[in-house]
Amino acid sequence: MKVTEHIERANGKTLFSVEILPPLKGQDVNCTFKTLDPLVELQPAFIDVTYHRQEFIYKQKENGLLKRYQVRKRPGTVAICAAIQNHYKVDAIPHLICGGFTKEDTEDALIDLNFLGIDNLLVLRGDPIKTEKSFVPESGGHAYASELIEQVTALNTGNYLDDDLQESHKMDFCIGVAGYPEKHFESPNLGMDMYYLKKKVELGADYIVTQMFFDNQKYFDFVKKCREMDINIPIIPGIKPLTTFNHLTSIPQNFYIDLPESLAMEVLKAKDKEAIKEIGLEWCINQCKELKAFGVPGLHFYTMSNSSNTKKVAEAVF
């Protein structure tokens, strides 16, 4: 079922959904099931599975020369989505990114996803890898999420890269895109970021999932700006609890967002790790309750494959 259909059928009720990482190379699917088993009890509407680009590593050969190797630490997004849908009968949503894919690779991936009965995608440009100062598109691929959306919408109308195909099958993917209440870190300002978001919606995006935030007013202002720009598709807030002292620096550094001063000061004054965790969970629970009262279509939790914190928050909210 499409995400938009889930929202329509909920009839105003706030949906619960989660995002997980694929298992590390060398692990099996049971690692994913172990993460999801406690969360599936709470009946998520859908489960997102991230995709990770290939990284490059250098290893010294016997002759002393360095050789570059491509590695992917977390392969298997498509297969994990198929396993989730088969095992739990819950809609799984793969992340589809620009980086590392030609247009032909993308079309092949979409054909596979269509064969598997996967109805939804989260379409993203993707982040630069560690060896890139800025994002570098694949030769013969896409540089922007908007271009990737265009390819998906073309397949939704039966237009493949091979122009000679006759009476080709039309796909029917529901397309999700990312939104940034505090703007994308590469955007010069929020206005420009909103301009590109509107472009993605005009090209066929069906719903928006936001980057995590810890100040609900940022989300409320973001929704208001969207509606003023005639961006009227569902906007699902992305949520993550702060649970460790290191999160004070790692979350702003990795996700380019601000932490409210009152939350940060509470964490600084906390006596131990358990107290920090309780502060973060209580903040997240209150945040979710306020969002739910506001009437958000769903609460989407970034679990990072740690289900226990998400479950504690969700049980207190839903």
Side-chain angles (χ1 to χ4, degrees):
M1 187 189 301
K2 295 180 179 181
V3 169
T4 49
E5 292 174 330
H6 279 290
I7 293 171
E8 289 170 5
R9 294 190 182 192
N11 197 27
K13 179 182 176 182
T14 299
L15 299 175
F16 165 64
S17 61
V18 299
E19 181 172 306
I20 63 166
L21 304 172
L24 287 164
K25 187 179 290 186
Q27 297 178 340
D28 66 6
V29 71
N30 290 311
C31 296
T32 298
F33 294 158
K34 185 177 179 181
T35 297
L36 286 175
D37 282 346
L39 298 176
V40 170
E41 296 173 6
L42 300 172
Q43 299 182 320
F46 54 88
I47 299 167
D48 275 35
V49 182
T50 65
Y51 184 87
H52 292 259
R53 285 179 63 188
Q54 291 179 333
E55 300 278 353
F56 296 103
I57 62 171
Y58 292 86
K59 290 185 178 180
Q60 194 167 25
K61 298 173 68 177
E62 291 182 3
N63 60 9
L65 297 176
L66 288 176
K67 184 175 181 180
R68 189 170 83 159
Y69 295 87
Q70 289 184 329
V71 296
R72 185 175 288 118
K73 294 181 179 180
R74 295 182 182 273
T77 293
V78 172
I80 288 296
C81 285
I84 288 169
Q85 291 203 165
N86 181 64
H87 188 73
Y88 295 113
K89 311 306 179 188
V90 175
D91 285 300
I93 304 179
H95 289 193
L96 189 71
I97 66 172
C98 297
F101 288 91
T102 65
K103 294 175 184 177
E104 289 76 15
D105 293 332
T106 297
E107 182 171 276
D108 290 345
L110 290 167
I111 289 170
D112 287 345
L113 291 168
N114 185 61
F115 287 162
L116 290 167
I118 290 173
D119 297 322
N120 304 281
L121 307 166
L122 189 67
V123 175
L124 310 162
R125 188 202 66 179
D127 296 324
I129 58 177
K130 294 177 182 178
T131 54
E132 297 174 347
K133 290 184 178 180
S134 59
F135 177 79
V136 177
E138 186 77 10
S139 177
H142 299 299
Y144 303 102
S146 56
E147 296 174 348
L148 188 51
I149 292 169
E150 287 183 292
Q151 184 171 7
V152 177
T153 54
L155 285 170
N156 279 351
T157 58
N159 291 321
Y160 291 68
L161 295 175
D162 185 351
D163 295 332
D164 295 331
L165 293 178
Q166 300 294 322
E167 298 182 2
S168 53
H169 168 73
K170 294 181 182 180
M171 300 185 188
D172 192 22
F173 289 112
C174 180
I175 302 170
V177 295
Y180 298 87
E182 299 177 59
K183 90 172 184 62
H184 190 277
F185 73 98
E186 294 178 3
S187 183
N189 53 65
L190 183 58
M192 186 67 74
D193 206 33
M194 298 294 295
Y195 168 82
Y196 285 113
L197 178 61
K198 183 174 175 63
K199 182 177 180 181
K200 288 189 283 188
V201 173
E202 290 172 343
L203 289 171
D206 297 296
Y207 69 97
I208 297 165
V209 179
T210 77
Q211 174 63 282
M212 69 181 74
F213 55 89
F214 291 81
D215 180 354
N216 283 350
Q217 191 60 48
K218 300 282 181 67
Y219 172 82
F220 300 148
D221 292 344
F222 177 71
V223 172
K224 184 173 183 289
K225 286 185 178 71
C226 284
R227 301 315 184 214
E228 288 172 350
M229 296 177 66
D230 291 326
I231 299 174
N232 294 312
I233 60 176
I235 304 173
I236 303 171
I239 300 295
K240 176 180 171 59
L242 181 154
T243 55
T244 70
F245 183 81
N246 288 340
H247 279 165
L248 284 182
T249 53
S250 65
I251 287 176
Q253 182 179 16
N254 294 328
F255 301 102
Y256 307 95
I257 60 173
D258 291 333
L259 295 176
E261 184 176 339
S262 56
L263 172 60
M265 291 303 298
E266 281 192 65
V267 171
L268 283 173
K269 295 175 182 177
K271 296 179 180 180
D272 52 39
K273 293 180 180 179
E274 193 59 34
I276 292 172
K277 183 177 179 180
E278 289 304 313
I279 289 167
L281 290 176
E282 183 180 0
W283 182 280
C284 191
I285 289 168
N286 290 333
Q287 186 182 1
C288 290
K289 286 181 177 179
E290 184 180 33
L291 289 166
K292 191 176 177 185
F294 180 75
V296 297
L299 291 168
H300 186 68
F301 289 86
Y302 298 112
T303 70
M304 306 302 288
S305 295
N306 182 339
S307 58
S308 60
N309 294 329
T310 298
K311 186 175 182 182
K312 287 180 180 178
V313 174
E315 285 179 331
V317 174
F318 290 95

